[in-house]
Amino acid sequence: MNQQLKKLAVLLVSKKKDHTCLPYMQQIRNQFPQHTYLIDEEYKNEPVDVVITIGGDGTILHASRMFQQIQTPPFVTFGKGTLGFMCIYSLRNQYEVLKNLQSPYNIELKKRIQGSLNGQYVYTALNDFFITKGNSIHVVCLDIYVNDTFVTQARGDGLIISTPTGSTAYCLSAGGPLIQNRVPCIALVPICPLSLSFRPLILPLDVKISIKMNANSRGEGVVICDGQVQYDFKRNDCFDITPSKNDVRFVVPPGHQDLDWVIKLQRMLNWNSRFQQPRD
């Protein structure tokens, strides 16, 4: 993305309500003035060559939301959020990253899943869908089907349906497994189940999962999609989850390997770190 490269349409997406991102966005405009820039508030589905995000994982989820049911442009993700597990680059290296950015890009694909409520498409999620009791004081009763075959009934505060990417988010907090990005699967993770034997379940990515609110459920709830939007989920409603053909494409540096994911677990999540008593 230097002066010799062709003119690009660049979509800039920054962390919401964080005005400290604005100088970085302006800096990109000044450093690479040959390109056309759009910001997320102004975006109206125009063709885009590259998406640059400045923020954390929530910013990336917001950017993913802007490309529902279509293939995303390449995402260049700079970390400036609370955690930023999905963020690839540091803002300290902003100029060098963008200067050397050119097609064909080194791409890492992240799978998405799509959800339909009572037969109507509602959302394509990068992280997860979760069905919760919302503001109700009662637990929800959810019937789980895989490829239209009844599997089990979940009673509790809800259920998370997660991609491998989402396994380091709410899924992890609820006791779900850590899943490397290239493993093609979906995780079903109960939220505070009324059973000691309901453990997280890993299913192949290509199955259809159907979650039905049991007609006798005391409580009703909501379906929350990537923490971005939510829909009421009432008795006898059915939410279907199937794999999406439209991945999110992340631009990664040359030499990026699966080992980088393990390093992030160690550095960001302090995975398997030992508790130590403070020394006097």
Side-chain angles (χ1 to χ4, degrees):
M1 226 152 85
N2 54 32
Q3 299 291 342
Q4 287 73 44
L5 296 179
K6 69 175 184 178
K7 182 177 180 180
L8 300 175
V10 179
L11 176 61
L12 297 173
V13 183
S14 65
K15 184 178 181 181
K16 295 299 180 186
K17 300 180 180 179
D18 186 348
H19 298 298
T20 63
C21 292
L22 297 179
Y24 293 101
M25 296 172 68
Q26 188 58 50
Q27 190 176 54
I28 292 172
R29 292 173 183 262
N30 294 339
Q31 290 172 338
F32 305 96
Q34 71 273 31
H35 303 305
T36 301
Y37 293 94
L38 299 167
I39 59 175
D40 53 328
E41 292 89 348
E42 303 171 352
Y43 182 63
K44 303 295 182 183
N45 299 319
E46 299 93 337
V48 172
D49 296 308
V50 174
V51 176
I52 297 175
T53 69
I54 301 174
D57 292 344
T59 305
I60 295 171
L61 294 177
H62 172 64
S64 172
R65 178 184 177 184
M66 301 167 74
F67 300 93
Q68 296 284 294
Q69 292 187 291
I70 60 173
Q71 185 76 59
T72 72
F75 279 27
V76 183
T77 56
F78 291 97
K80 196 182 183 302
T82 305
L83 181 61
F85 196 85
M86 284 190 280
C87 297
I88 304 296
Y89 299 104
S90 168
L91 282 168
R92 293 191 299 270
N93 305 321
Q94 169 189 303
Y95 179 76
E96 289 301 316
V97 170
L98 298 180
K99 181 185 71 173
N100 296 316
L101 182 68
Q102 55 185 306
S103 181
Y105 307 108
N106 293 304
I107 294 292
E108 179 181 64
L109 298 177
K110 292 186 181 292
K111 296 294 184 182
R112 293 195 287 182
I113 50 179
Q114 63 184 32
S116 299
L117 181 58
N118 297 328
Q120 297 295 316
Y121 166 83
V122 292
Y123 203 85
T124 300
L126 174 58
N127 260 9
D128 51 38
F129 296 108
F130 53 96
I131 300 171
T132 79
K133 64 178 186 175
N135 293 326
S136 173
I137 62 173
H138 300 295
V139 299
V140 291
C141 181
L142 305 172
D143 297 330
I144 303 173
Y145 296 79
V146 175
N147 289 340
D148 299 319
T149 299
F150 178 73
V151 175
T152 191
Q153 186 177 90
R155 290 178 178 269
D157 286 353
L159 185 71
I160 303 168
I161 305 97
S162 174
T163 66
T165 300
S167 70
T168 55
Y170 192 12
C171 172
L172 178 61
S173 298
L178 290 165
I179 307 172
Q180 207 280 333
N181 177 65
R182 292 198 299 112
V183 179
C185 66
I186 300 177
L188 292 182
V189 181
I191 305 171
C192 299
L194 296 182
S195 170
L196 294 178
S197 61
F198 191 166
R199 292 293 179 255
L201 183 65
I202 302 295
L203 296 169
L205 181 64
D206 59 359
V207 301
K208 182 182 81 169
I209 300 169
S210 300
I211 313 297
K212 297 181 180 180
M213 181 71 77
N214 191 280
N216 297 317
S217 178
R218 294 186 64 192
E220 295 184 326
V222 294
V223 179
I224 300 177
C225 313
D226 264 354
Q228 302 290 307
V229 296
Q230 69 180 46
Y231 299 90
D232 291 335
F233 196 55
K234 301 181 180 299
R235 296 177 187 89
N236 295 315
D237 280 353
C238 181
F239 191 71
D240 294 321
I241 302 99
T242 54
S244 170
K245 297 179 180 178
N246 299 304
D247 304 331
V248 178
R249 297 187 290 166
F250 283 72
V251 176
V252 297
H256 183 79
Q257 300 177 355
D258 295 340
L259 180 61
D260 296 338
W261 181 81
V262 177
I263 293 172
K264 278 194 170 184
L265 290 184
Q266 297 168 342
R267 292 181 178 175
M268 290 188 171
L269 300 183
N270 293 320
W271 176 61
N272 202 29
S273 62
R274 294 190 304 164
F275 295 105
Q276 293 185 346
Q277 185 174 0
R279 296 177 182 269
D280 296 331

